[in-house]
Amino acid sequence: MSTLCLNTFAFSPFAGTKEPPSLPELLAAVHDAGFTAIGLDVFSVLGYGRPLAELAAEVAAAGLRCPEMLGFVVDADEAAALAGARQVAEACAAFGADFALGMVMLAPDARCADLFARCAEIIAQAGARAAVEFLPFTPVATIADARTLVAHAGTANSGVLVDAWHFFQGADTWTTLDALPVAEIAYVQIDDHPELLPPGADFYTECMSRRVFPGEGVFELGTFRDALLTKGYDGLVSVEVINPGLVGLGAAPYARAARAAVARHWA
């Protein structure tokens, strides 16, 4: 049975939130909404200015676990990519996270695959897997692009992060999703959007500001869920809705709305 998680990156200063809630407020909101897991980002975690072990204990005391930790970036700066992998690996080890989310800003060629594999190895040593996110506004834009990297790094150390937003707004099809082996999936993120964007749209801005809760947009989330369940997927399902207007509701109302929405699409 899948674990339902609330990804809280939307409340991070790095997502544009000017006055993010305190960690205790965020934890209480997520727990009281009925989630058993919370997704955190390493940048906010380090910003709390407290020992990682202390913060991890606070998460556990709230009755939650943290299975996903954002993140690291693979780009032309090799040293920075490896440093980012070490940073997120340390956080994964402290929180017991299963996955470190990675974004890849290079074309998935041999050099990129080697660097991603080195990052994944660092993360694996911390007990987590590197989850590569395909995004339609980056060089790793499709499931096939992400699978190229995972094939090189190995499924023991890495997997594909399947985000509904990037699937529906990108070039992938039901055929490419069906062809993705369950063993290559790291985990799933679920969300929605008011419209399917046309070619040439500002995908980054739309992705970072106009997502809506599952079922409140146009994505065929029932078909998306069934395609994953049919292949035997029963892992982590994380709700990630980045929208300043919804964040402005406050942590508790946002978490309750997210939990109610995901319950209608993923039991």
Side-chain angles (χ1 to χ4, degrees):
M1 183 174 180
S2 293
T3 295
L4 299 181
C5 173
L6 183 60
N7 182 299
T8 59
F9 180 67
F11 286 90
S12 168
F14 300 91
T17 302
K18 292 183 169 51
E19 296 183 9
S22 67
L23 182 60
E25 180 184 356
L26 206 54
L27 295 175
V30 174
H31 175 270
D32 293 350
F35 288 99
T36 59
I38 184 171
L40 298 172
D41 69 275
V42 68
F43 315 110
S44 295
V45 165
L46 295 176
Y48 291 128
R50 293 161 53 197
L52 294 177
E54 183 179 301
L55 295 169
E58 192 170 337
V59 171
L64 298 168
R65 66 179 302 262
C66 175
E68 61 168 337
M69 184 71 66
L70 186 156
F72 67 103
V73 178
V74 176
D75 60 17
D77 189 336
E78 181 177 311
L82 295 172
R86 286 189 287 270
Q87 179 176 264
V88 77
E90 184 179 4
C92 286
F95 284 82
D98 301 309
F99 305 105
L101 188 157
M103 291 170 288
V104 180
M105 308 306 292
L106 299 172
D109 56 16
R111 174 175 175 262
C112 172
D114 283 342
L115 181 54
F116 175 77
R118 291 170 66 190
C119 291
E121 177 61 30
I122 291 169
I123 290 162
Q125 290 171 2
R129 290 171 74 196
V132 59
E133 185 170 25
F134 60 93
L135 305 101
F137 47 84
T138 70
V140 176
T142 66
I143 291 173
D145 293 333
R147 290 186 68 186
T148 297
L149 300 180
V150 169
H152 190 67
T155 55
N157 292 356
S158 66
V160 179
L161 168 57
V162 182
D163 185 324
W165 202 97
H166 306 310
F167 172 75
F168 284 105
Q169 300 289 15
D172 277 297
T173 65
W174 296 115
T175 299
T176 57
L177 181 60
D178 290 343
L180 173 63
V182 69
E184 292 183 24
I185 299 175
Y187 66 104
V188 171
Q189 289 182 338
I190 189 170
D191 36 46
D192 214 327
H193 203 75
E195 61 182 316
L196 294 178
L197 300 171
D202 186 348
F203 286 89
Y204 177 80
T205 298
E206 293 278 341
C207 173
M208 294 295 290
S209 64
R210 292 189 65 225
R211 299 191 198 196
V212 293
F213 293 120
E216 297 182 0
V218 300
F219 295 167
E220 298 176 49
L221 293 176
T223 306
F224 178 76
R225 175 202 60 220
D226 292 346
L228 291 163
L229 294 180
T230 296
K231 67 173 78 256
Y233 182 76
D234 63 355
L236 179 66
V237 177
S238 177
V239 185
E240 185 186 50
V241 178
I242 306 171
N243 183 316
L246 297 176
V247 165
L249 297 172
Y254 176 100
R256 288 195 299 268
R259 185 63 182 86
V262 73
R264 293 191 289 269
H265 295 277
W266 212 297

